[in-house]
């Protein structure tokens, strides 16, 4: 499980890849959270917008979904930089408050069932709302959304 996760806006993959060693830092508009797996979160969010449902996806459904791609190849240091799919960025940018609330509820339920008391104490709705704001900026500026985690 990743300890520190930063969802951030960058103009392109090359710029995002350059954050690998030190993280996005203050130079990028970002949203932070802790103790989640960004790749499974991104896959679950994408699944929600492509096949809307308040039901928590099964492990098989989630593992069978298209997972985000690495911007840089993973090394043994645990650092990962993923690109969020463009369709997910557009979906988040256009999401209603009700959709974000439903997705946050579903995501919270899944994480609680997997992690129990070890689940993140971040406000997952606030995380989603923050990432959705970044998505609006990405759509408006032609940028892309990424996650950096360690």
């Amino acid at each position: 499980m990743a300890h520190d996760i930063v969802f951030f806006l960058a103009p392109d993959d090359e710029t995002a890849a350059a954050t690998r060693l030190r993280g996005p830092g203050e130079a990028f508009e970002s949203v932070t959270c802790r103790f989640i797996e960004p790749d499974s979160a991104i896959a679950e969010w994408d699944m929600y917008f492509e096949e809307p449902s308040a039901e928590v996806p099964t492990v098989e459904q989630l593992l069978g979904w298209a997972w985000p791609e690495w911007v840089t190849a993973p090394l043994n240091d645990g650092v990962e930089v993923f690109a969020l799919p463009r369709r997910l960025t557009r979906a988040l940018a256009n999401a209603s408050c009700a959709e974000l609330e439903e997705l946050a509820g579903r995501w919270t339920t899944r994480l609680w069932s997997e992690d129990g008391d070890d689940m993140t104490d971040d406000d997952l709705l606030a995380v989603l709302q923050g990432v959705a704001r970044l998505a609006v900026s990405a759509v408006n500026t032609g940028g892309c959304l990424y996650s950096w985690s360690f």
Side-chain angles (χ1 to χ4, degrees):
M1 177 174 299
H3 293 280
D4 296 311
I5 301 90
V6 181
F7 292 98
F8 66 101
L9 176 63
D12 54 45
D13 288 358
E14 185 178 329
T15 305
T19 68
R20 192 194 167 300
L21 293 178
R22 290 182 297 261
E26 300 293 321
F28 297 90
E29 196 176 344
S30 64
V31 173
T32 61
C33 58
R34 295 179 52 84
F35 303 114
I36 66 162
E37 292 295 341
D39 52 354
S40 65
I42 294 165
E44 182 173 356
W45 301 348
D46 188 44
M47 180 187 293
Y48 173 82
F49 288 109
E50 288 298 305
E51 299 176 2
S53 171
E55 298 299 315
V56 175
T58 66
V59 171
E60 293 79 17
Q61 288 172 313
L62 192 57
L63 292 176
W65 199 256
W67 284 55
E69 296 195 15
W70 280 296
V71 175
T72 59
L75 301 174
N76 290 335
D77 61 4
V79 175
E80 296 178 314
V81 181
F82 291 108
L84 276 71
R86 288 198 180 268
R87 72 180 183 190
L88 174 58
T89 300
R90 286 189 301 276
L92 285 165
N94 294 318
S96 68
C97 292
E99 287 173 315
L100 293 175
E101 288 172 5
E102 183 174 80
L103 175 54
R106 180 176 114 160
W107 186 29
T108 300
T109 299
R110 182 180 65 81
L111 291 178
W112 179 256
S113 72
E114 290 177 0
D115 302 333
D117 291 338
D118 293 329
M119 189 179 115
T120 182
D121 58 359
D122 285 317
D123 179 341
L124 297 181
L125 176 57
V127 170
L128 273 171
Q129 289 168 331
V131 174
R133 282 190 295 277
L134 292 177
V136 169
S137 292
V139 168
N140 290 338
T141 65
C144 300
L145 285 181
Y146 300 91
S147 73
W148 176 93
S149 60
F150 175 70

Short mmCIF file of all heavy atoms in Angstrom, two decimals, residues 98-146:
data_model
loop_
_atom_site.label_atom_id
_atom_site.label_comp_id
_atom_site.label_asym_id
_atom_site.label_seq_id
_atom_site.Cartn_x
_atom_site.Cartn_y
_atom_site.Cartn_z
N ALA A 98 -23.60 14.55 -7.03
CA ALA A 98 -24.22 13.27 -6.67
C ALA A 98 -23.36 12.09 -7.13
O ALA A 98 -23.21 11.11 -6.41
CB ALA A 98 -25.62 13.17 -7.26
N GLU A 99 -22.81 12.19 -8.34
CA GLU A 99 -21.94 11.10 -8.83
C GLU A 99 -20.69 10.96 -7.97
O GLU A 99 -20.30 9.84 -7.63
CB GLU A 99 -21.54 11.36 -10.28
CG GLU A 99 -22.66 11.14 -11.27
CD GLU A 99 -22.27 11.57 -12.67
OE1 GLU A 99 -21.68 12.66 -12.85
OE2 GLU A 99 -22.57 10.80 -13.61
N LEU A 100 -20.08 12.07 -7.61
CA LEU A 100 -18.88 12.01 -6.77
C LEU A 100 -19.21 11.44 -5.39
O LEU A 100 -18.43 10.66 -4.84
CB LEU A 100 -18.23 13.39 -6.64
CG LEU A 100 -17.62 13.95 -7.93
CD1 LEU A 100 -17.11 15.38 -7.69
CD2 LEU A 100 -16.52 13.06 -8.47
N GLU A 101 -20.36 11.80 -4.85
CA GLU A 101 -20.77 11.26 -3.55
C GLU A 101 -21.01 9.76 -3.63
O GLU A 101 -20.59 9.01 -2.75
CB GLU A 101 -22.02 11.99 -3.04
CG GLU A 101 -21.74 13.40 -2.60
CD GLU A 101 -23.01 14.20 -2.28
OE1 GLU A 101 -24.12 13.62 -2.30
OE2 GLU A 101 -22.86 15.40 -2.02
N GLU A 102 -21.69 9.32 -4.69
CA GLU A 102 -21.96 7.88 -4.85
C GLU A 102 -20.65 7.11 -5.02
O GLU A 102 -20.44 6.06 -4.40
CB GLU A 102 -22.88 7.64 -6.04
CG GLU A 102 -23.25 6.17 -6.20
CD GLU A 102 -24.28 5.95 -7.29
OE1 GLU A 102 -23.90 5.92 -8.48
OE2 GLU A 102 -25.48 5.82 -6.94
N LEU A 103 -19.75 7.64 -5.86
CA LEU A 103 -18.47 6.98 -6.07
C LEU A 103 -17.65 6.94 -4.78
O LEU A 103 -17.05 5.92 -4.45
CB LEU A 103 -17.68 7.68 -7.18
CG LEU A 103 -16.27 7.17 -7.45
CD1 LEU A 103 -16.24 5.66 -7.71
CD2 LEU A 103 -15.64 7.94 -8.60
N ALA A 104 -17.64 8.02 -4.04
CA ALA A 104 -16.90 8.05 -2.76
C ALA A 104 -17.46 7.02 -1.80
O ALA A 104 -16.70 6.34 -1.10
CB ALA A 104 -16.94 9.45 -2.15
N GLY A 105 -18.78 6.88 -1.75
CA GLY A 105 -19.39 5.88 -0.88
C GLY A 105 -18.99 4.47 -1.28
O GLY A 105 -18.64 3.63 -0.43
N ARG A 106 -19.00 4.20 -2.56
CA ARG A 106 -18.62 2.88 -3.07
C ARG A 106 -17.15 2.61 -2.81
O ARG A 106 -16.78 1.51 -2.37
CB ARG A 106 -18.93 2.85 -4.57
CG ARG A 106 -18.60 1.56 -5.24
CD ARG A 106 -19.03 1.60 -6.67
NE ARG A 106 -17.85 1.55 -7.53
CZ ARG A 106 -17.91 1.20 -8.81
NH1 ARG A 106 -19.07 0.93 -9.37
NH2 ARG A 106 -16.83 1.16 -9.52
N TRP A 107 -16.32 3.60 -3.07
CA TRP A 107 -14.87 3.46 -2.86
C TRP A 107 -14.57 3.22 -1.38
O TRP A 107 -13.79 2.35 -1.02
CB TRP A 107 -14.19 4.71 -3.38
CG TRP A 107 -12.70 4.73 -3.40
CD1 TRP A 107 -11.85 3.66 -3.52
CD2 TRP A 107 -11.88 5.88 -3.31
NE1 TRP A 107 -10.55 4.09 -3.51
CE2 TRP A 107 -10.54 5.45 -3.38
CE3 TRP A 107 -12.13 7.24 -3.17
CZ2 TRP A 107 -9.46 6.34 -3.32
CZ3 TRP A 107 -11.07 8.12 -3.12
CH2 TRP A 107 -9.75 7.66 -3.19
N THR A 108 -15.23 3.97 -0.50
CA THR A 108 -15.04 3.81 0.94
C THR A 108 -15.44 2.40 1.38
O THR A 108 -14.72 1.76 2.16
CB THR A 108 -15.86 4.87 1.71
OG1 THR A 108 -15.42 6.17 1.31
CG2 THR A 108 -15.73 4.71 3.20
N THR A 109 -16.56 1.92 0.88
CA THR A 109 -17.03 0.58 1.24
C THR A 109 -16.02 -0.48 0.81
O THR A 109 -15.70 -1.40 1.57
CB THR A 109 -18.40 0.30 0.59
OG1 THR A 109 -19.34 1.26 1.08
CG2 THR A 109 -18.90 -1.10 0.91
N ARG A 110 -15.48 -0.34 -0.41
CA ARG A 110 -14.50 -1.32 -0.88
C ARG A 110 -13.24 -1.28 -0.03
O ARG A 110 -12.73 -2.31 0.40
CB ARG A 110 -14.14 -1.08 -2.36
CG ARG A 110 -13.15 -2.14 -2.88
CD ARG A 110 -12.77 -1.93 -4.33
NE ARG A 110 -12.05 -0.70 -4.57
CZ ARG A 110 -10.73 -0.54 -4.36
NH1 ARG A 110 -10.00 -1.53 -3.86
NH2 ARG A 110 -10.14 0.60 -4.64
N LEU A 111 -12.73 -0.09 0.24
CA LEU A 111 -11.51 0.03 1.04
C LEU A 111 -11.73 -0.51 2.45
O LEU A 111 -10.85 -1.17 3.01
CB LEU A 111 -11.01 1.47 1.08
CG LEU A 111 -10.47 2.01 -0.24
CD1 LEU A 111 -10.06 3.47 -0.07
CD2 LEU A 111 -9.32 1.18 -0.76
N TRP A 112 -12.88 -0.22 3.02
CA TRP A 112 -13.16 -0.70 4.38
C TRP A 112 -13.20 -2.23 4.40
O TRP A 112 -12.67 -2.86 5.31
CB TRP A 112 -14.47 -0.12 4.90
CG TRP A 112 -14.79 -0.63 6.26
CD1 TRP A 112 -15.72 -1.56 6.61
CD2 TRP A 112 -14.13 -0.26 7.49
NE1 TRP A 112 -15.70 -1.79 7.96
CE2 TRP A 112 -14.74 -1.00 8.52
CE3 TRP A 112 -13.12 0.62 7.80
CZ2 TRP A 112 -14.34 -0.89 9.85
CZ3 TRP A 112 -12.72 0.73 9.12
CH2 TRP A 112 -13.33 -0.02 10.12
N SER A 113 -13.80 -2.83 3.37
CA SER A 113 -13.88 -4.30 3.34
C SER A 113 -12.50 -4.92 3.16
O SER A 113 -12.25 -6.02 3.65
CB SER A 113 -14.83 -4.77 2.24
OG SER A 113 -14.28 -4.57 0.96
N GLU A 114 -11.60 -4.23 2.47
CA GLU A 114 -10.25 -4.76 2.24
C GLU A 114 -9.29 -4.45 3.39
O GLU A 114 -8.48 -5.27 3.77
CB GLU A 114 -9.66 -4.18 0.96
CG GLU A 114 -10.31 -4.68 -0.30
CD GLU A 114 -9.76 -4.03 -1.55
OE1 GLU A 114 -8.85 -3.18 -1.45
OE2 GLU A 114 -10.24 -4.37 -2.64
N ASP A 115 -9.37 -3.23 3.93
CA ASP A 115 -8.36 -2.75 4.87
C ASP A 115 -8.84 -2.63 6.31
O ASP A 115 -8.02 -2.52 7.21
CB ASP A 115 -7.83 -1.38 4.41
CG ASP A 115 -7.23 -1.42 3.03
OD1 ASP A 115 -6.75 -2.50 2.61
OD2 ASP A 115 -7.22 -0.38 2.35
N GLY A 116 -10.15 -2.62 6.53
CA GLY A 116 -10.68 -2.50 7.88
C GLY A 116 -10.10 -1.32 8.64
O GLY A 116 -10.08 -0.21 8.13
N ASP A 117 -9.63 -1.57 9.84
CA ASP A 117 -9.10 -0.50 10.68
C ASP A 117 -7.85 0.15 10.12
O ASP A 117 -7.47 1.24 10.55
CB ASP A 117 -8.80 -1.03 12.09
CG ASP A 117 -10.06 -1.38 12.85
OD1 ASP A 117 -11.14 -0.85 12.49
OD2 ASP A 117 -9.98 -2.19 13.79
N ASP A 118 -7.20 -0.49 9.16
CA ASP A 118 -6.00 0.08 8.54
C ASP A 118 -6.34 1.00 7.36
O ASP A 118 -5.44 1.49 6.69
CB ASP A 118 -5.07 -1.03 8.05
CG ASP A 118 -4.47 -1.81 9.21
OD1 ASP A 118 -4.29 -1.22 10.29
OD2 ASP A 118 -4.21 -3.01 9.03
N MET A 119 -7.63 1.23 7.13
CA MET A 119 -8.05 2.07 6.02
C MET A 119 -7.58 3.50 6.24
O MET A 119 -7.48 3.97 7.36
CB MET A 119 -9.57 2.05 5.90
CG MET A 119 -10.08 2.73 4.66
SD MET A 119 -11.86 2.64 4.55
CE MET A 119 -12.26 4.36 4.70
N THR A 120 -7.32 4.19 5.16
CA THR A 120 -6.94 5.60 5.24
C THR A 120 -7.96 6.39 6.05
O THR A 120 -9.15 6.07 6.05
CB THR A 120 -6.82 6.21 3.83
OG1 THR A 120 -6.41 7.57 3.96
CG2 THR A 120 -8.13 6.16 3.06
N ASP A 121 -7.49 7.42 6.74
CA ASP A 121 -8.43 8.28 7.45
C ASP A 121 -8.70 9.56 6.67
O ASP A 121 -9.34 10.48 7.18
CB ASP A 121 -7.95 8.58 8.88
CG ASP A 121 -6.59 9.24 8.92
OD1 ASP A 121 -5.99 9.46 7.86
OD2 ASP A 121 -6.13 9.53 10.03
N ASP A 122 -8.25 9.61 5.41
CA ASP A 122 -8.56 10.76 4.56
C ASP A 122 -10.06 10.77 4.24
O ASP A 122 -10.71 9.72 4.17
CB ASP A 122 -7.79 10.68 3.24
CG ASP A 122 -6.33 11.04 3.41
OD1 ASP A 122 -6.04 12.01 4.12
OD2 ASP A 122 -5.47 10.34 2.84
N ASP A 123 -10.58 11.95 4.01
CA ASP A 123 -11.96 12.13 3.57
C ASP A 123 -11.97 11.82 2.08
O ASP A 123 -11.54 12.64 1.27
CB ASP A 123 -12.41 13.56 3.86
CG ASP A 123 -13.82 13.86 3.41
OD1 ASP A 123 -14.38 13.11 2.56
OD2 ASP A 123 -14.37 14.87 3.88
N LEU A 124 -12.44 10.64 1.71
CA LEU A 124 -12.36 10.20 0.32
C LEU A 124 -13.23 11.03 -0.60
O LEU A 124 -12.87 11.23 -1.77
CB LEU A 124 -12.67 8.72 0.22
CG LEU A 124 -11.68 7.81 0.96
CD1 LEU A 124 -12.05 6.34 0.78
CD2 LEU A 124 -10.25 8.05 0.52
N LEU A 125 -14.35 11.55 -0.11
CA LEU A 125 -15.15 12.45 -0.93
C LEU A 125 -14.36 13.72 -1.23
O LEU A 125 -14.33 14.19 -2.37
CB LEU A 125 -16.48 12.80 -0.26
CG LEU A 125 -17.35 13.82 -1.01
CD1 LEU A 125 -17.66 13.35 -2.43
CD2 LEU A 125 -18.63 14.09 -0.23
N ALA A 126 -13.67 14.26 -0.24
CA ALA A 126 -12.87 15.46 -0.46
C ALA A 126 -11.74 15.18 -1.45
O ALA A 126 -11.41 16.04 -2.29
CB ALA A 126 -12.31 15.98 0.86
N VAL A 127 -11.15 14.00 -1.37
CA VAL A 127 -10.10 13.62 -2.33
C VAL A 127 -10.68 13.61 -3.74
O VAL A 127 -10.12 14.22 -4.67
CB VAL A 127 -9.47 12.25 -1.98
CG1 VAL A 127 -8.57 11.76 -3.10
CG2 VAL A 127 -8.70 12.33 -0.67
N LEU A 128 -11.82 12.94 -3.91
CA LEU A 128 -12.45 12.88 -5.24
C LEU A 128 -12.84 14.26 -5.74
O LEU A 128 -12.65 14.58 -6.92
CB LEU A 128 -13.69 11.99 -5.19
CG LEU A 128 -13.46 10.52 -5.42
CD1 LEU A 128 -14.73 9.72 -5.12
CD2 LEU A 128 -13.01 10.26 -6.84
N GLN A 129 -13.38 15.09 -4.87
CA GLN A 129 -13.77 16.45 -5.27
C GLN A 129 -12.53 17.24 -5.70
O GLN A 129 -12.57 17.98 -6.69
CB GLN A 129 -14.49 17.16 -4.13
CG GLN A 129 -15.86 16.60 -3.87
CD GLN A 129 -16.48 17.09 -2.57
OE1 GLN A 129 -15.78 17.40 -1.61
NE2 GLN A 129 -17.81 17.14 -2.54
N GLY A 130 -11.43 17.07 -4.99
CA GLY A 130 -10.19 17.74 -5.36
C GLY A 130 -9.66 17.26 -6.70
O GLY A 130 -9.23 18.07 -7.53
N VAL A 131 -9.69 15.95 -6.92
CA VAL A 131 -9.22 15.41 -8.20
C VAL A 131 -10.15 15.86 -9.32
O VAL A 131 -9.69 16.17 -10.42
CB VAL A 131 -9.09 13.87 -8.14
CG1 VAL A 131 -8.74 13.29 -9.51
CG2 VAL A 131 -8.05 13.46 -7.10
N ALA A 132 -11.45 15.95 -9.05
CA ALA A 132 -12.39 16.45 -10.06
C ALA A 132 -12.08 17.90 -10.42
O ALA A 132 -12.16 18.28 -11.60
CB ALA A 132 -13.83 16.30 -9.56
N ARG A 133 -11.71 18.72 -9.44
CA ARG A 133 -11.31 20.11 -9.74
C ARG A 133 -10.06 20.13 -10.62
O ARG A 133 -9.95 20.93 -11.55
CB ARG A 133 -11.08 20.90 -8.45
CG ARG A 133 -12.36 21.35 -7.77
CD ARG A 133 -12.11 22.33 -6.63
NE ARG A 133 -11.37 21.76 -5.52
CZ ARG A 133 -11.91 21.04 -4.54
NH1 ARG A 133 -13.21 20.82 -4.53
NH2 ARG A 133 -11.17 20.55 -3.57
N LEU A 134 -9.10 19.25 -10.31
CA LEU A 134 -7.92 19.15 -11.17
C LEU A 134 -8.31 18.72 -12.59
O LEU A 134 -7.73 19.21 -13.57
CB LEU A 134 -6.93 18.14 -10.60
CG LEU A 134 -6.22 18.48 -9.30
CD1 LEU A 134 -5.34 17.32 -8.85
CD2 LEU A 134 -5.40 19.75 -9.44
N ALA A 135 -9.27 17.82 -12.68
CA ALA A 135 -9.72 17.35 -14.00
C ALA A 135 -10.32 18.49 -14.81
O ALA A 135 -10.08 18.59 -16.02
CB ALA A 135 -10.74 16.21 -13.83
N VAL A 136 -11.07 19.36 -14.16
CA VAL A 136 -11.63 20.52 -14.86
C VAL A 136 -10.49 21.37 -15.41
O VAL A 136 -10.51 21.79 -16.58
CB VAL A 136 -12.54 21.35 -13.92
CG1 VAL A 136 -12.91 22.69 -14.55
CG2 VAL A 136 -13.80 20.57 -13.56
N SER A 137 -9.47 21.61 -14.60
CA SER A 137 -8.30 22.38 -15.07
C SER A 137 -7.61 21.67 -16.22
O SER A 137 -7.21 22.31 -17.19
CB SER A 137 -7.30 22.58 -13.93
OG SER A 137 -7.82 23.42 -12.95
N ALA A 138 -7.47 20.35 -16.13
CA ALA A 138 -6.82 19.59 -17.20
C ALA A 138 -7.58 19.73 -18.51
O ALA A 138 -6.99 19.96 -19.57
CB ALA A 138 -6.69 18.11 -16.81
N VAL A 139 -8.90 19.59 -18.45
CA VAL A 139 -9.72 19.70 -19.65
C VAL A 139 -9.62 21.12 -20.23
O VAL A 139 -9.49 21.30 -21.44
CB VAL A 139 -11.19 19.31 -19.35
CG1 VAL A 139 -12.12 19.69 -20.49
CG2 VAL A 139 -11.28 17.81 -19.06
N ASN A 140 -9.65 22.11 -19.35
CA ASN A 140 -9.62 23.50 -19.82
C ASN A 140 -8.27 23.93 -20.37
O ASN A 140 -8.19 24.83 -21.21
CB ASN A 140 -10.04 24.46 -18.70
CG ASN A 140 -11.51 24.34 -18.37
OD1 ASN A 140 -12.31 23.88 -19.19
ND2 ASN A 140 -11.88 24.75 -17.18
N THR A 141 -7.18 23.33 -19.90
CA THR A 141 -5.84 23.74 -20.31
C THR A 141 -5.17 22.77 -21.27
O THR A 141 -4.09 23.06 -21.78
CB THR A 141 -4.92 23.90 -19.08
OG1 THR A 141 -4.74 22.61 -18.46
CG2 THR A 141 -5.47 24.91 -18.08
N GLY A 142 -5.78 21.61 -21.48
CA GLY A 142 -5.15 20.60 -22.32
C GLY A 142 -4.11 19.78 -21.60
O GLY A 142 -3.36 19.03 -22.21
N GLY A 143 -4.05 19.93 -20.27
CA GLY A 143 -3.10 19.16 -19.47
C GLY A 143 -3.61 17.75 -19.20
O GLY A 143 -4.64 17.34 -19.73
N CYS A 144 -2.88 17.03 -18.37
CA CYS A 144 -3.22 15.65 -18.04
C CYS A 144 -3.15 15.47 -16.53
O CYS A 144 -2.47 16.22 -15.83
CB CYS A 144 -2.25 14.69 -18.70
SG CYS A 144 -2.23 14.81 -20.49
N LEU A 145 -3.84 14.45 -16.05
CA LEU A 145 -3.80 14.11 -14.63
C LEU A 145 -2.90 12.90 -14.41
O LEU A 145 -2.89 11.96 -15.21
CB LEU A 145 -5.19 13.78 -14.10
CG LEU A 145 -6.13 14.95 -13.86
CD1 LEU A 145 -7.46 14.45 -13.31
CD2 LEU A 145 -5.52 15.95 -12.92
N TYR A 146 -2.19 12.95 -13.28
CA TYR A 146 -1.24 11.90 -12.92
C TYR A 146 -1.36 11.61 -11.43
O TYR A 146 -1.88 12.43 -10.67
CB TYR A 146 0.20 12.34 -13.24
CG TYR A 146 0.41 12.66 -14.68
CD1 TYR A 146 0.22 13.95 -15.17
CD2 TYR A 146 0.76 11.66 -15.57
CE1 TYR A 146 0.39 14.23 -16.51
CE2 TYR A 146 0.94 11.93 -16.92
CZ TYR A 146 0.75 13.22 -17.38
OH TYR A 146 0.92 13.49 -18.71
#
